[in-house]
Amino acid sequence: MINSVLPPEVAAVSVFGDLSTLAGHGLFPAEAATIARSVPRRRAEFTTVRLCARRALDKLGVPPVPLVPGKRGAVEWPAGVTGSMTHCTGFRAAAVARSEVAASLGIDAERNEPLPEGILEVISLPRERASVAALARQRPDVHWDRLLFSAKESVFKTWYPLTRRELDFTEAELQFDLGSSTFSARLLTPGPVVAGRRHGTLSGRWTVGRGFVLTAIVLPA
């Protein structure tokens, strides 16, 4: 499912549920230490998404390495690789690409369910709220508030490895295209510089299916 929002040069693996009933099985010691005191559900999702990442890296011919979360959950990928991971209830995925192909990428998955009351007002700008209301009238099967949240998560996951700075939800204004299943994020703060060019807009793709919304951004190198 994740491959539908990614170009073919990005290697991705996704699963519904968990790959192993033994949480922690297949982890490096440094990874296992990170979740040693976590509840079983957290250990299971942590384990599965890293097994997905190792399978994705294997598609690139890259041997497995520890993927230990740092600040804001960002991991250090192997040299020459950029990547992103996501997990929500019932779904885990990882995507990786060679650095000469993608400067950064971000993926996110969420249940296709309404956001909790009051959250939309926190994560969105007035024009975004008007937009998702209009889109909901055209595609009522999609919870556009949740899709907006997911897309902003993908924006942050793409942004952070390049800048190592926080990005508030209201510092990117998103627009969705219903026909092409794409979205654009206009950054309301100076964007990241890649190969001497500052990017003020990030573009991505979205899809909905099997009870989930998925979003992805791949910033070319």
Side-chain angles (χ1 to χ4, degrees):
M1 186 174 176
I2 191 66
N3 289 295
S4 67
V5 292
L6 292 167
E9 58 268 26
V10 176
V13 173
S14 62
V15 296
F16 295 91
D18 290 311
L19 289 172
S20 174
T21 56
L22 181 59
H25 178 72
L27 294 181
F28 284 89
E31 294 171 327
T34 300
I35 56 165
R37 298 185 179 181
S38 299
V39 298
R41 178 179 173 182
R42 168 59 179 156
R43 294 171 64 193
E45 67 186 16
F46 181 99
T47 301
T48 297
V49 78
R50 276 156 180 78
L51 295 178
C52 287
R54 291 199 240 290
R55 290 183 178 183
L57 287 168
D58 185 63
K59 291 183 178 184
L60 298 183
V62 178
V65 297
L67 299 171
V68 179
K71 185 178 180 183
R72 294 288 290 169
V75 304
E76 290 296 327
W77 294 93
V81 172
T82 186
S84 181
M85 297 184 287
T86 186
H87 53 77
C88 65
T89 302
F91 186 82
R92 291 74 163 95
V96 294
R98 294 286 184 182
S99 298
E100 61 264 26
V101 171
S104 186
L105 64 90
I107 63 171
D108 189 73
E110 304 286 338
R111 299 289 302 184
N112 186 21
E113 300 171 349
L115 286 174
E117 185 176 354
I119 298 300
L120 178 61
E121 289 71 22
V122 173
I123 65 138
S124 65
L125 298 163
R127 282 191 292 191
E128 291 174 324
R129 292 194 288 274
S131 175
V132 298
L135 289 165
R137 291 190 288 271
Q138 299 177 72
R139 282 283 305 273
D141 59 307
V142 180
H143 290 285
W144 290 93
D145 55 347
R146 184 72 70 167
L147 186 58
L148 176 65
F149 175 83
S150 177
K152 292 206 171 190
E153 285 289 297
S154 286
V155 169
F156 179 81
K157 291 177 180 181
T158 306
W159 157 279
Y160 189 78
L162 297 173
T163 65
R164 298 294 172 178
R165 292 190 287 113
E166 299 294 328
L167 182 72
D168 191 82
F169 280 110
T170 58
E171 290 184 305
E173 184 174 20
L174 272 66
Q175 287 187 323
F176 292 92
D177 187 283
L178 194 56
S180 63
S181 298
T182 60
F183 66 90
S184 63
R186 183 170 66 92
L187 298 173
L188 305 180
T189 188
V193 176
V194 176
R197 175 192 168 195
R198 186 174 297 280
H199 290 262
T201 301
L202 301 177
S203 300
R205 298 190 62 83
W206 60 270
T207 191
V208 180
R210 298 185 63 171
F212 300 93
V213 297
L214 274 68
T215 58
I217 296 171
V218 179
L219 184 62

